[in-house]
Amino acid sequence: MKTTYGKKYISMATVSRMATYLQCLTYLEHQHTSTVSSHELAALLGVTPEQVRQDFSTFGLVGKRGSGYDVVRLKTEIELIFGRGVDRWKCCIVGAGSLGTALVSSHMVQKWGFKYAAAFDTDPRKIGTHIGRIPVYAVEDLKDVIRREHIAIGVMTVPASSARKVADLLCEAGIRGILNFAPRVIKVPASIPVLSVDLSQEFLKLAFYIQSAEQRAREQQAQIEATSHGE
Amino acid sequence: MKTTYGKKYISMATVSRMATYLQCLTYLEHQHTSTVSSHELAALLGVTPEQVRQDFSTFGLVGKRGSGYDVVRLKTEIELIFGRGVDRWKCCIVGAGSLGTALVSSHMVQKWGFKYAAAFDTDPRKIGTHIGRIPVYAVEDLKDVIRREHIAIGVMTVPASSARKVADLLCEAGIRGILNFAPRVIKVPASIPVLSVDLSQEFLKLAFYIQSAEQRAREQQAQIEATSHGE
DNA sequence: CCATGTGAAAACTTTCACAGCG
DNA sequence: CGCTGTGAAAGTTTTCACATGG
């Protein structure tokens, strides 16, 4: 996926870091910190201060020389970059299983201007009920409801086997973007952004990092032992 | 985070792609596809065939010239890279809320050799009960249980405010890696890998991609109109 | 003739170095 | 004097081009 901001190309890694800066700024605001330097933010994120300044520069975010960035102002500006303000992003969830229910119940997403308006499922026992305040519809009604409610984002928490069909339905309904938790790569028209979050992949990745870290620790240990032997 | 495989440096993007190849190979295996070309895999992932071959080459994975890669063999080899085989990765979950419960209940993670052995919470009503077959302990017992059960991975599904304390506890207990779902950046010794998955950040990122895609579509439209006007 | 495997080129990202401002 | 802002260098990743083998 290629993303732009104004006329600049933005890498997905940069977008991720921007979202993380926002998270840190929320924390700093909570702590009543009024200004923050690129160095401090860099230390929090585990990146270099130059990286932070470069990122901000890309989006035209400026600080004060000598003191740093104003926390509240920076936070507001980054929120704007992420589309906060105009109106709330209406979301729906497809698949009212335990993960779907957990996502809808979690209020943290609402903090950033997202709002669940509908849930869909195939289980007749769930259809017609509510999750919190969100009504559960039949998947057959997906298109109608999305169009009627002007839902922008479809969150897929369905089994891998239904992923393809549900993605097609969402696209036909005119969804603007898809957040896919189903463990399958889905194909949609290039005009509709898809972000896939595969939780089992995160476990695999962590396992790889652990092995890599422990391997390096062992090698370092061996190095130390070899050196002390040589003396 | 810097990761290695043998003596080669591996970027986190490469690790992500490897995990996604594994997901696709599982699908292909399910479909009884016996061989796959770099071109086919590339089309599934939305990357170039050269990228696929370069990735495989990095890990010493080879195919057959003229036909491609053997699906089952490739899948087994990538599983090995991710640490499958030797023994199962024992996991625990800290925070038995709805997300924690959903993660424990989901069986997909077990498919890759991960296994939940314990859950921890501070709610006295939950302590002593079970989630599925997994016992819920008090957070006070975290160190003892992790050491006793030789738990490798700690999954944090706690509120942001407890993230720091829980991360410290896990590290003291000798955890080998942390998967953090709490919306806060956590600081741990460099020897312990942390992978943070912030679900609200995924929404923000998607919102950014949507805006970017729609902006580009508008510009393209304007271009077309300007061109047809000029004729 | 097909698709892999791989040096080398191109593109991109990060770091460096330092000028510039509060 | 401290910290930002930014061109340019260094480093990394991706793409290209093509030799190689079934």
Side-chain angles (χ1 to χ4, degrees), chain A residues 191, chain B residues 213-227:
Chain A
S191 59
Chain B
E214 292 176 356
Q215 174 72 32
R216 275 201 299 166
R218 271 196 299 279
E219 276 165 18
Q220 235 164 45
Q221 194 57 39
Q223 192 92 46
I224 290 161
E225 273 163 29
T227 311

Side-chain angles (χ1 to χ4, degrees), chain B residues 156-178:
Chain B
M156 293 177 37
T157 51
V158 296
S161 52
S162 338
R164 195 197 186 113
K165 211 180 63 190
V166 170
D168 288 346
L169 278 172
L170 285 168
C171 292
E172 282 173 44
I175 207 83
R176 291 165 67 194
I178 296 175

Side-chain angles (χ1 to χ4, degrees), chain A residues 37-38 53 57 62-63 65-66 68-69:
Chain A
S37 68
S38 60
R53 295 204 297 275
S57 166
V62 294
R65 296 179 192 225
Y69 301 86

Side-chain angles (χ1 to χ4, degrees), chain B residues 87-107:
Chain B
D87 46 13
R88 294 196 143 198
W89 293 88
K90 268 187 154 183
C91 306
C92 70
I93 201 136
V94 190
S98 55
L99 180 59
T101 308
L103 286 174
V104 172
S105 313
S106 127
H107 289 256

